[in-house]
Amino acid sequence: MKKLIVVLLRAIFKPWKNGQWFEKEKTSDLWTKAFFGLLLLAVALALTSIIQAASGNFPAAPVFLPFSLENYFVWQAVFIIPWLLASWLTLSLLLRLIFVSGRRQRVPLNFKQLSAGLALSFYPFLFWLWLSHLLTAIFYSLGISQKEWVDLMSEPGWIQFIYIFLLFLALFSGLISSILTMAKIAPNGKVRAGFLGAGLSIVFDFLVLFFLR
């Protein structure tokens, strides 16, 4: 567990070293560490979803899935873990196909290595997003209603600032982390890899934010 926490903290707070660490650890049990790190973040989001479900409130933002508003947080708690893991594995498979088709990649990495690097690059986005999610869950658990939360978010103040700052930090850090990680994994084409990392980050962010409320 201690090693897992170290992996998480290093990837979250030092994302510029993800590529260096990936290169050093890619022949070890990196995939296992990356998987359980992603699973831990998904469980954290599920727990805050449970808190929101227990509060009796419903999502303040529009929802796009056919779940009732009254039970949306319940379904979110149930499906957020498989949703995150499925999104990660799908993008990992896409990344593997791109690398295999690239003629300039001299030594194509296997699926587990690529998916491990991709998981590391997603940690910052998921962590800071979870903090914003936790902020909502805390206020809901204190008895604030959904209407009061919307009003609070609509008025300039330190709560609104913290919430928006955490969302911005999640998106920005996730983007930078993915770009730097992909650039290290594909050193023969750093510009192309950087755009690839940015694209993967945007798609993953969209998939998560499409479901998570």
Side-chain angles (χ1 to χ4, degrees):
M1 187 64 180
K2 182 179 179 180
K3 291 183 178 180
L4 179 59
I5 297 300
V6 171
V7 170
L8 278 169
L9 295 179
R10 182 182 298 175
I12 292 168
F13 295 103
K14 294 183 178 181
W16 56 89
K17 291 189 176 182
N18 277 353
Q20 178 183 351
W21 189 57
F22 171 82
E23 187 67 28
K24 180 181 178 181
E25 300 286 338
K26 69 181 180 181
T27 57
S28 64
D29 59 343
L30 178 61
W31 190 88
T32 302
K33 296 176 183 176
F35 168 77
F36 280 108
L38 199 66
L39 181 62
L40 183 60
L41 290 169
V43 169
L45 286 167
L47 291 176
T48 50
S49 297
I50 292 174
I51 295 174
Q52 294 184 69
S55 71
N57 290 308
F58 52 88
V63 299
F64 305 102
L65 296 175
F67 300 141
S68 63
L69 289 178
E70 293 78 9
N71 296 317
Y72 192 89
F73 287 136
V74 175
W75 293 114
Q76 180 173 275
V78 172
F79 287 112
I80 187 60
I81 296 176
W83 182 277
L84 280 180
L85 295 179
S87 298
W88 163 57
L89 291 174
T90 300
L91 291 178
S92 298
L93 179 60
L94 176 62
L95 181 61
R96 174 60 177 165
L97 293 174
I98 293 174
F99 269 60
V100 168
S101 62
R103 297 180 179 179
R104 295 184 179 182
Q105 186 65 21
R106 297 179 181 177
V107 184
L109 302 174
N110 61 43
F111 176 79
K112 291 183 68 174
Q113 292 170 336
L114 288 174
S115 61
L118 201 59
L120 293 176
S121 72
F122 291 155
Y123 286 177
F125 167 72
L126 291 175
F127 175 76
W128 298 113
L129 181 65
W130 170 73
L131 284 185
S132 69
H133 206 236
L134 179 63
L135 181 65
T136 307
I138 289 174
F139 275 88
Y140 277 174
S141 65
L142 292 176
I144 190 172
S145 67
Q146 185 258 350
K147 181 180 183 303
E148 289 173 325
W149 176 249
V150 172
D151 292 339
L152 192 62
M153 287 294 97
S154 301
E155 298 178 2
W158 66 274
I159 296 296
Q160 183 195 65
F161 172 79
I162 292 175
Y163 188 81
I164 294 176
F165 175 76
L166 289 174
L167 287 179
F168 172 80
L169 189 58
L171 294 170
F172 180 76
S173 64
L175 181 66
I176 296 301
S177 177
S178 295
I179 290 174
L180 294 178
T181 302
M182 288 301 107
K184 185 63 178 181
I185 291 177
N188 294 329
K190 290 186 177 181
V191 175
R192 179 189 175 190
F195 279 108
L196 178 60
L200 291 171
S201 176
I202 292 172
V203 173
F204 184 75
D205 295 357
F206 171 79
L207 290 173
V208 173
L209 295 175
F210 178 83
F211 178 68
L212 194 66
R213 289 293 178 270

